[in-house]
């Protein structure tokens, strides 16, 4: 189990070590000055991870206590980690846990324009769902559908298979509420991508290929710090 927590929230003194070791294997913190070491030494969590951290904070945290994993957005269409952060993770022996491995839905084909989602849905304010960004992202994703059709699999399975081909230190976490999609995601383990498939994907989805920023402007300053 992975838990995102602002330094031990929900892991208080009333919780015994044996209870938490069974329930929280990896605690990922998203604040810059959190001291996770006591929770590890008390066996309230087994491993320490970071969320959306930049190079400076990864190195700073790892120097204080070994970091086991970084959680950040990474997919075949969002590859901002590749130039600098991914090499640092591999240098330090830190795993990557990519969230939004299906490109926030674009790589499954199950997307609508921002204004078509209900109030309160984060996609209404996601720049990649808006205007010309939406059109460009849908167009780019079509190559994934073509590869999937040729292999008789789902587009989302191609997206997950691509991540799994990137190395054993990368463990994507696709979210779903339905058993059907859970089973589809697991079946991605059996999808094989050829060198030609991978080359085609790289040509269509180089770093920076997705149209629009990852988050609205007021949120971008809070990530990769």
């Amino acid at each position: 189990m992975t838990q995102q927590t602002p330094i031990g929230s929900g892991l208080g003194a009333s919780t015994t070590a044996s209870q938490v070791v069974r329930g929280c294997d990896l605690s990922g913190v998203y604040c810059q000055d959190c001291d996770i070491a006591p929770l590890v030494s008390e066996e309230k969590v087994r491993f320490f991870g970071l969320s959306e951290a930049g190079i400076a904070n990864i190195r700073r945290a790892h120097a204080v206590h070994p970091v086991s994993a970084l959680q950040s957005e990474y997919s075949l269409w969002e590859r901002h980690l590749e130039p600098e952060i991914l090499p640092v993770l591999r240098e330090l022996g830190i795993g990557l846990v990519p969230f939004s491995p299906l490109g926030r839905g674009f790589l499954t084909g199950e997307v609508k324009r921002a204004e078509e989602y209900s109030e309160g849905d984060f996609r209404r304010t996601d720049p990649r769902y808006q205007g010309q960004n939406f059109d460009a992202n849908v167009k780019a994703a079509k190559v994934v559908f073509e590869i999937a059709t040729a292999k008789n699999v789902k587009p989302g399975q191609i997206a997950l298979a691509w991540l799994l081909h990137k190395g054993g230190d990368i463990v994507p976490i696709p979210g779903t509420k339905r058993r059907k999609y859970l089973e589809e995601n697991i079946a991605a383990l059996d999808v094989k991508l050829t060198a030609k498939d991978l080359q085609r994907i790289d040509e269509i989805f180089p770093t920076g290929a997705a149209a629009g920023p990852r988050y609205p402007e007021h949120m971008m300053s809070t990530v990769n710090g």
Side-chain angles (χ1 to χ4, degrees):
M1 174 182 176
T2 300
Q3 173 170 334
Q4 287 295 112
T5 175
I7 192 54
S9 173
L11 299 177
S14 63
T15 307
T16 67
S18 61
Q19 287 174 324
V20 182
V21 166
R22 289 196 300 269
C24 185
D25 294 319
L26 174 66
S27 180
V29 298
Y30 51 83
C31 59
Q32 296 186 12
D33 296 302
C34 297
D35 184 8
I36 197 75
L39 294 177
V40 178
S41 63
E42 294 167 13
E43 298 185 342
K44 290 186 175 180
V45 299
R46 295 182 64 192
F47 301 103
F48 164 42
L50 295 173
S51 179
E52 292 277 47
I55 293 174
N57 280 325
I58 292 170
R59 290 191 180 279
R60 185 161 68 97
H62 194 69
V64 174
H65 190 279
V67 177
S68 297
L70 172 72
Q71 178 177 296
S72 190
E73 183 174 4
Y74 183 52
S75 67
L76 63 82
W77 88 322
E78 180 48 74
R79 302 172 66 171
H80 67 289
L81 301 181
E82 290 184 354
E84 298 180 346
I85 291 181
L86 194 51
V88 169
L89 296 182
R90 286 175 168 160
E91 171 197 334
L92 300 176
I94 299 172
L96 176 62
V97 181
F99 66 80
S100 296
L102 303 179
R104 307 190 188 192
F106 278 98
L107 301 178
T108 68
E110 302 296 326
V111 291
K112 301 179 290 187
R113 292 184 176 277
E115 59 271 21
E116 296 181 44
Y117 289 99
S118 60
E119 291 290 341
D121 192 306
F122 80 93
R123 288 166 290 192
R124 284 185 66 89
T125 59
D126 189 325
R128 293 181 174 174
Y129 278 80
Q130 298 173 355
Q132 294 181 345
N133 290 341
F134 179 87
D135 296 332
N137 290 328
V138 168
K139 181 178 179 180
K142 286 183 178 179
V143 69
V144 179
F145 306 159
E146 293 170 1
I147 295 174
T149 298
K151 295 182 179 295
N152 195 30
V153 298
K154 300 292 185 180
Q157 292 173 326
I158 295 295
L160 292 174
W162 180 87
L163 276 170
L164 296 172
H165 275 73
K166 300 299 285 186
D169 55 349
I170 296 178
V171 182
I173 47 172
T176 182
K177 298 178 181 178
R178 296 176 176 82
R179 179 171 183 148
K180 170 187 174 182
Y181 297 129
L182 173 63
E183 292 173 347
E184 286 182 4
N185 293 339
I186 293 172
L189 290 165
D190 299 322
V191 176
K192 306 301 181 184
L193 298 178
T194 66
K196 186 176 180 180
D197 293 331
L198 296 172
Q199 180 182 358
R200 188 179 180 196
I201 290 172
D202 285 344
E203 290 172 352
I204 300 297
F205 294 101
T207 301
R214 295 175 58 206
Y215 299 109
E217 185 176 353
H218 71 279
M219 294 179 61
M220 284 302 297
S221 62
T222 67
V223 301
N224 293 335

